[in-house]
Amino acid sequence: MKNKIATIILLAISIFIHWRWIFIPKLFGAGDFAYFLKFPQTWVELATSPGTWDPIWGNGFGTFNVIMFMYPVYFIVGVLSKWGLDLIWILKLTNFLPLIILVPLSSYLLARRVSNSVLGGFVGSVVYSYNAYILLL
């Protein structure tokens, strides 16, 4: 019972801290992150089989695909683009939502296993999940 309560509290804290990421339909990012919105028609092409050519990068000409480990995420983005979902919401689903849910839960599970207590897992998860570095990502 304590385990479920700690998990629910961690998720509530995470949603409370990141509410703007979830509920406001704007893209929160800087640098090259806005480049993803530049050519939305190319995101539909990501729902194909993996290839060695990446049409998005390379200043519009494409380049060799050296990040094949991202193919599952790119495939999900391509499928959601084909379904007509807005690219801002797609990026929120594939980038922000896993960060909001998986970071507190996985750090809680690790800290609980190391400390052998629910309280130690909770404190460890809060310290890890909400420090300055992870909030800047």
Side-chain angles (χ1 to χ4, degrees):
M1 185 68 178
K2 290 181 184 179
N3 192 18
K4 289 182 182 180
I5 293 172
T7 305
I8 291 170
I9 291 172
L10 281 173
L11 287 177
I13 291 171
S14 188
I15 290 171
F16 177 74
I17 289 175
H18 299 90
W19 69 271
R20 290 183 183 182
W21 287 5
I22 301 170
F23 300 114
I24 295 179
K26 292 182 180 178
L27 184 64
F28 295 100
D32 61 348
F33 198 70
Y35 183 75
F36 290 122
L37 298 175
K38 194 172 183 179
F39 303 109
Q41 66 274 9
T42 58
W43 287 100
V44 176
E45 297 174 11
L46 294 174
T48 60
S49 61
T52 57
W53 188 255
D54 190 358
I56 294 176
W57 303 107
N59 296 326
F61 296 112
T63 186
F64 293 110
N65 190 359
V66 294
I67 51 172
M68 288 296 290
F69 68 92
M70 288 294 292
Y71 175 71
V73 175
Y74 284 169
F75 183 78
I76 292 170
V77 168
V79 168
L80 292 175
S81 294
K82 277 188 177 181
W83 290 348
L85 195 59
D86 188 27
L87 201 55
I88 290 175
W89 291 108
I90 292 172
L91 292 175
K92 285 182 183 228
L93 285 173
T94 57
N95 293 343
F96 294 144
L97 204 57
L99 181 74
I100 293 169
I101 294 173
L102 293 179
V103 169
L105 289 182
S106 61
S107 62
Y108 168 72
L109 292 174
L110 178 66
R112 190 187 68 189
R113 185 175 184 124
V114 170
S115 68
N116 289 326
S117 73
V118 174
L119 180 63
F122 182 79
V123 171
S125 176
V126 168
V127 168
Y128 177 76
S129 300
Y130 308 113
N131 66 43
Y133 176 73
I134 203 75
L135 290 178
L136 289 175
L137 288 181

